[in-house]
């Protein structure tokens, strides 16, 4: 029971933390700008990643319930992976936003209109769902026999694919394609966008101007690292670390699940002054009402 306390605390940080970011951006008209709309996307996705995992994680540590139905497991896997793919796409969209803001600051708001941002968000969400649906159907057709024990406290595709006693090669090939087409390409384009950003910044004459331009990208770079480092670590562990102690595997899996949703609101609040000031002002008003 004692280990359930930190997990409950983590969830109480994730939902209010990301919820406050979304609420602040919604109610504060000064934040109705492309940059903050792009910030709202990962905050929404973090809620989408965390909500499907909460029932199994807390039921294990609070009540010792270690069983999950096959349908429930597939639904959890589909939801969590779909939102994870969306987050990768939204991080790419944020890097495009930073490039446009630095390369073309004057027509920035006319290029990234609300319609353009909405279209990008919808396209990324559709891409994620369409890529995950075939994996879902391929898993349903496989025979599961014997004692089906998952490694983690939530259903992960790379964990589920170890359990069937049938041919899982189509699943593995499709999963590799999905990872390459989303995480691989997104990360590649993020790197390219930052190469272009750095080239643009170096053309700015004054050192103060260069620093101001780069400072607008710091929070996004932190979020990218917070997202990709645990994900790559977990992928490498599933591929090469089967001999590692179970405790290490559990810690890595939980870091992948909990680290980004907990850290991202803190990064936004610390590094983005407008978000921080708006949060402080809103909380002060709420305290005054009481």
């Amino acid at each position: 029971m004692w280990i359930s306390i930190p997990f409950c605390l983590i969830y109480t940080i994730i939902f209010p933390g990301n919820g406050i970011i979304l609420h602040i951006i919604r109610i504060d008209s000064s934040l109705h700008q492309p940059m903050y709309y792009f910030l709202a996307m990962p905050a929404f996705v973090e809620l989408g990643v965390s909500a499907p995992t909460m029932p199994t994680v807390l039921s294990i540590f609070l009540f010792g319930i270690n069983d999950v139905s096959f349908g429930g497991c597939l639904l959890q896997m589909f939801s969590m992976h779909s939102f994870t793919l969306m987050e990768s796409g939204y991080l790419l969209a944020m890097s495009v936003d930073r490039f446009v803001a630095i390369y073309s600051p004057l027509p920035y708001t006319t290029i990234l209109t609300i319609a353009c941002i909405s279209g990008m968000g919808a396209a990324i969400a559709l891409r994620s769902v369409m890529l995950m649906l075939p994996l879902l159907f391929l898993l349903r057709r496989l025979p599961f026999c014997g004692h089906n024990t998952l490694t983690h406290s939530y259903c992960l595709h790379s964990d589920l694919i170890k359990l069937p006693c049938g041919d899982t090669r189509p699943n593995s090939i499709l999963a590799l394609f999905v990872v390459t087409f989303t995480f691989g390409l997104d990360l590649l384009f993020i790197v390219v966008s930052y190469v272009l950003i750095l080239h643009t910044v170096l053309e700015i004459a004054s050192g103060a101007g260069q620093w101001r331009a780069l400072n607008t990208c710091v929070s996004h770079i932190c979020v990218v690292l917070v997202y990709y480092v645990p994900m790559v670590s977990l992928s490498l562990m599933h591929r090469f670390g089967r001999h590692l102690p179970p405790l290490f595997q559990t810690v890595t899996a939980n870091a992948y699940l909990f680290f980004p949703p907990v850290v991202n609101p803190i990064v936004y609040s610390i590094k983005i002054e407008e978000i921080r000031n708006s949060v402080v002002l809103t909380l002060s008003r709420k305290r005054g009402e009481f």
Side-chain angles (χ1 to χ4, degrees):
M1 286 292 293
W2 66 269
I3 204 172
S4 66
I5 297 174
F7 284 99
C8 291
L9 290 175
I10 286 172
Y11 277 114
T12 58
I13 294 172
I14 289 173
F15 290 102
N18 289 282
I20 287 173
I21 297 294
L22 290 173
H23 179 65
I24 291 298
I25 293 174
R26 184 181 67 85
I27 66 171
D28 192 339
S29 58
S30 66
L31 301 181
H32 293 175
Q33 302 176 34
M35 174 183 175
Y36 304 107
Y37 290 138
F38 282 113
L39 287 179
M41 291 179 182
F44 170 75
V45 167
E46 300 295 5
L47 297 177
V49 171
S50 302
T53 62
M54 185 170 63
T56 55
V57 172
L58 293 187
S59 64
I60 288 172
F61 293 108
L62 279 175
F63 308 110
I65 301 174
N66 297 323
D67 297 328
V68 61
S69 67
F70 181 60
C73 191
L74 287 181
L75 180 61
Q76 185 184 67
M77 181 210 74
F78 175 77
S79 302
M80 191 188 71
H81 281 305
S82 295
F83 279 108
T84 303
L85 295 179
M86 288 180 207
E87 184 167 12
S88 177
Y90 291 149
L91 290 177
L92 172 59
M94 291 173 69
S95 69
V96 173
D97 165 70
R98 291 297 84 209
F99 171 70
V100 174
I102 292 173
Y103 184 76
S104 303
L106 294 179
Y108 169 57
T109 54
T110 60
I111 295 173
L112 293 175
T113 61
I114 294 179
C116 177
I117 295 170
S118 301
M120 291 172 66
I124 291 170
L126 182 62
R127 180 193 71 165
S128 304
V129 172
M130 295 305 294
L131 286 174
M132 278 305 301
L133 278 174
L135 285 174
L136 187 69
F137 290 120
L138 283 175
L139 271 174
R140 284 186 61 87
R141 70 171 183 82
L142 289 171
F144 286 79
C145 46
H147 187 61
N148 297 317
T149 304
L150 295 170
T151 307
H152 311 307
S153 53
Y154 54 91
C155 297
L156 200 65
H157 181 266
S158 54
D159 201 12
L160 274 170
I161 203 65
K162 301 174 185 176
L163 302 181
C165 46
D167 183 14
T168 61
R169 282 177 297 179
N171 301 67
S172 299
I173 293 171
L174 182 57
L176 179 62
F177 169 77
V178 170
V179 169
T180 305
F181 187 72
T182 53
F183 300 125
L185 284 180
D186 290 347
L187 184 57
L188 175 63
F189 288 134
I190 288 172
V191 172
V192 169
S193 68
Y194 270 98
V195 170
L196 296 174
I197 287 171
L198 185 60
H199 180 266
T200 304
V201 168
L202 291 177
E203 292 181 346
I204 299 175
S206 67
Q210 292 179 348
W211 171 249
R212 282 196 302 270
L214 287 175
N215 194 44
T216 63
C217 302
V218 171
S219 59
H220 180 249
I221 294 172
C222 292
V223 171
V224 169
L225 292 175
V226 164
Y227 173 75
Y228 276 103
V229 170
M231 184 196 70
V232 172
S233 301
L234 185 63
S235 299
L236 291 175
M237 186 193 71
H238 274 284
R239 181 66 181 86
F240 303 108
R242 297 182 181 181
H243 61 284
L244 294 173
L247 179 60
F248 181 82
Q249 298 182 33
T250 301
V251 170
T252 305
N254 286 324
Y256 163 76
L257 178 63
F258 293 117
F259 193 58
V262 170
V263 173
N264 285 350
I266 299 173
V267 171
Y268 298 151
S269 300
I270 292 176
K271 295 302 299 179
I272 302 177
E273 184 179 358
E274 293 82 3
I275 293 284
R276 182 174 66 251
N277 293 341
S278 187
V279 169
V280 172
L281 182 61
T282 302
L283 293 178
S284 301
R285 288 174 181 171
K286 294 293 184 183
R287 191 178 299 124
E289 291 174 2
F290 287 110

